[in-house]
Amino acid sequence: MALLAVDDALQRMLADVEPVSGEACSLMSCRGRVLAENIAAPLSVPPEDNSAMDGYALRVADLAEGRALPVSQRIAAGAAPAPLMPGTAARIFTGATIPPGADCVVAQEDCEATGEAVEIRTVPRVGQHIRRAGQDIQRGQQILAAGQRLSPADLGLLASLGIADVPVARRLRVALMSTGDELREPGEVLALGQIYNSNRPMLAALLEAQGHEVLDLGIVGDTAEATAAALAEGRDKADVVISSGGVSVGEEDHVKAQLEKLGRLQLWKLAIKPGKPLAYGRLGTVPFFGLPGNPVSSFVTYSVLVRPYLLRMQGCTEDQPVQQRAVADFDWPRPGSRQEYLRARVEWRQGRPMLTLHPQQSSGALSSVAWCNALAIVPIGATVARGEELDYIPMEALLH
């Protein structure tokens, strides 16, 4: 079977996505959630004309015969002003509503208070220092679009409109399993031939950072029966099932075979490095991803293929991170038959971003992932010479 190119695999997976339903979420709890509906402003912001400065609200025409005006009222933010009496000024503070009849605000540093009057030391213009109603947002204006992930700024925007409950895609419940008799959990004592399970906490953290609920199925032994039981449990309890390990073709690799018995295998073996043995299919209607057991392979395949899929399930329109470009500070002279994701660090030198490689690019060297801040992309059949520009994915774009 020919290896499937990464972009082709991703497009086939995304075309297979079935979006989940929406739900209402409290404003204070929906950071990072995917908006399920367009949001239109129920009111204008600001709702009334208000002052952009501490100072005095007045009519420009009232200064025609002199620059001293009696102060007829004091208006603080949140207070309802009375109409401005002709020939007077109102002491006003930033954010306070402009009184009916006033057409400008003079900053307090351009005025001098003298008892119950104020002397205006400048010539104001109509509209000066007034923030008009609807200057930021007009009532009925679409302010946020369905499919975007809500940022802290978005939450502030929603709050400014008085929106307390937000329509978002519901959280995904993701069943996570690790396969392998050699695996032990951190804190346990290792025997000869055993290793600690690094994929479980890493993948769980990636999923939770994306806002998903993790159903931990633990470590699954290398038997067909244990694998089938775990897959069936995930199918029955979760929206998505993810395993790490057991998707190769060895005698102790049971995931692919049991997937084909319980459901269907749709993709397998991609032209990606690290991470060639990746299985995608369905357990009934539940999507399944079988990631490689090597930790770097598991991280890369999750980041490049699974993360966009899960976002698309929630209706996210920006499901893939924007790639950036930097100058390679290394040589990669051997063309490969798979698209490679090299662990690299972007550093600014002499006014431009430079990519430096971690010295260890093995699929088992998780230290390279902890060290890097970028995945440098080398396409199939490409070579890289020092000084050439190269696409990369910023790590920060993958970690939330």
Side-chain angles (χ1 to χ4, degrees), residues 1 32 100-101 106 148 173 181 194 304 325 358 381:
M1 180 186 294
V106 181
Q148 69 183 84
R173 194 175 199 207
D181 289 338
Q194 296 177 340
V304 173
R325 289 183 71 79
H358 190 276

Side-chain angles (χ1 to χ4, degrees), residues 53-55 106-112 121 129:
M53 305 284 285
D54 291 344
V106 181
Q108 63 184 18
E109 55 264 33
D110 294 325
C111 305
E112 183 175 353
R121 295 180 168 179
H129 300 320

Side-chain angles (χ1 to χ4, degrees), residues 42-78:
L43 49 83
S44 294
V45 178
E48 302 95 14
D49 292 355
N50 69 75
S51 179
M53 305 284 285
D54 291 344
Y56 293 85
L58 49 90
R59 293 181 186 86
V60 171
D62 286 340
L63 294 175
E65 297 182 1
R67 296 201 172 189
L69 298 173
V71 178
S72 57
Q73 61 178 306
R74 181 180 185 275
I75 311 168

